Amino acid sequence: MSSSSVRGLLLCLLGASLLIAQDWQTTQDLPSVDFTGLTAAQKALALKVLRTNACPCGCTMKMAECRMKDTGCSYSKSLAAIVVASIKKGGNEAAIMAALDASPLMHRATPKLLEDPVAIPVAGDPVLGPQNARVTVVEFSDFQCPYCAVAVVKLNAVLKAYPNDVRLIYKQYPLEMHSQAALAAQAALAAQRQGKFWELHDAMYADRTHLSRQNILAMAEKIGLDVNRFQQDWDSPAIKQALAKEQKEGDQLGVNGTPTIFIDGQRYNGDLAMDAIRPIIDKEINRK
């Protein structure tokens, strides 16, 4: 292939990726937003408002973007309904913004960086890092969640930076919006029975968009699991009960999305980037 052809192919791929990234700015439909009954002009107004105003859920995205990228977000879903309802009543942009401002959802209190400590049962859960680490990080996570995949990289960086002082404990919290998440969670618990939780954890996050039963079985074989035993455990009532137990623990702790992080029992509402989390970890180490 000539250099000009390669360059053309790269430009096409770049253009395609940019188009996908900007979908929420151009699409005429948003998940779980009913534009029925709006004229073309009214729908355009609704989309304008949703594309230009931030979602208050804490995701840092615009409401339309949040609808596209986090379909389980109750904030963007409810606020989009308010926008449509206001337009149906004849409201202009100023009236729509007033209706949004009147919603308590738009005035979500900023959570504390570290909330009050709670007791989290961790006996028997998979651990990375020394058992006697001075700081324990508990992660409630979902194998299909794109944000969790990013968290894996950032939490691994934390463990690397604090090899003697931080341990990570993984908790299953598959979201209903992810069709294969529960299947993957059960697979991870089954792998844990053979001492290979983290190997399957890494394999599934590396290919989180293809978590079919067939592909997970291939991963299990590749990491050296006894596949027959793995399959028996995977579908067993005991594994399903173990998963339900962890989900219930998450519910009781107020987990409603993934990843949710606790540092020494304190829910952490900050960025997982090293420059943001390092002062928190250092403070926890120094107070012990």
Side-chain angles (χ1 to χ4, degrees):
M1 184 180 290
S2 68
S3 60
S4 60
S5 297
V6 171
R7 182 172 178 273
L9 177 59
L10 291 174
L11 288 173
C12 287
L13 291 173
L14 177 60
S17 63
L18 289 173
L19 181 61
I20 292 171
Q22 299 301 314
D23 243 3
W24 62 274
Q25 293 182 329
T26 58
T27 184
Q28 294 300 299
D29 292 292
L30 298 170
S32 299
V33 180
D34 186 3
F35 294 112
T36 303
L38 298 185
T39 66
Q42 288 175 324
K43 184 175 180 180
L45 175 58
L47 287 168
K48 176 188 175 185
V49 171
L50 295 171
R51 289 169 181 161
T52 56
N53 289 276
C55 181
C57 74
C59 67
T60 73
M61 295 185 284
K62 303 299 184 184
M63 284 188 270
E65 184 179 10
C66 190
R67 279 285 77 227
M68 292 290 291
K69 297 181 179 179
D70 186 4
T71 55
C73 176
S74 59
Y75 284 82
S76 59
K77 181 179 178 180
S78 298
L79 292 170
I82 290 174
V83 170
V84 172
S86 179
I87 291 175
K88 285 183 176 180
K89 292 177 182 177
N92 57 16
E93 188 168 352
I96 298 167
M97 296 307 299
L100 286 173
D101 189 60
S103 171
L105 294 175
M106 289 296 291
H107 304 284
R108 177 176 181 256
T110 302
K112 293 192 297 183
L113 188 60
L114 279 179
E115 298 181 11
D116 295 335
V118 294
I120 305 176
V122 297
D125 291 327
V127 182
L128 275 181
Q131 289 290 342
N132 62 348
R134 288 186 283 180
V135 176
T136 297
V137 176
V138 176
E139 173 193 16
F140 283 84
S141 197
D142 172 317
F143 284 104
Q144 257 189 302
C145 170
Y147 307 110
C148 296
V150 174
V152 168
V153 177
K154 293 182 177 181
L155 289 173
N156 282 343
V158 171
L159 293 174
K160 185 176 180 180
Y162 296 92
N164 301 314
D165 294 313
V166 176
R167 65 173 181 158
L168 171 67
I169 295 176
Y170 189 99
K171 290 279 194 180
Q172 310 285 349
Y173 199 80
L175 302 176
E176 289 185 7
M177 62 184 286
H178 294 143
S179 61
Q180 301 299 102
L183 181 75
Q186 289 175 210
L189 291 170
Q192 185 182 355
R193 289 193 166 191
Q194 296 187 45
K196 288 186 176 291
F197 171 87
W198 293 107
E199 289 88 342
L200 189 59
H201 165 283
D202 292 347
M204 289 196 295
Y205 272 120
D207 198 16
R208 65 170 187 81
T209 59
H210 301 96
L211 296 180
S212 66
R213 178 175 288 270
Q214 181 179 358
N215 287 342
I216 294 174
L217 278 173
M219 295 175 193
E221 185 173 7
K222 187 174 182 180
I223 65 174
L225 286 172
D226 178 333
V227 175
N228 289 331
R229 178 186 167 192
F230 171 71
Q231 289 189 82
Q232 291 173 0
D233 288 336
W234 193 358
D235 296 316
S236 68
I239 288 293
K240 292 178 180 178
Q241 290 169 9
L243 174 57
K245 178 176 176 288
E246 291 197 20
Q247 289 178 296
K248 184 177 180 181
E249 290 171 357
D251 292 340
Q252 291 172 339
L253 292 167
V255 174
N256 54 16
T258 56
T260 294
I261 305 296
F262 292 84
I263 300 176
D264 285 341
Q266 304 160 97
R267 183 167 179 155
Y268 175 61
N269 297 305
D271 197 326
L272 292 177
M274 186 61 71
D275 60 347
I277 200 171
R278 185 186 291 279
I280 305 298
I281 299 294
D282 288 345
K283 185 175 180 180
E284 286 299 301
I285 291 173
N286 292 332
R287 75 181 181 86
K288 295 178 178 180

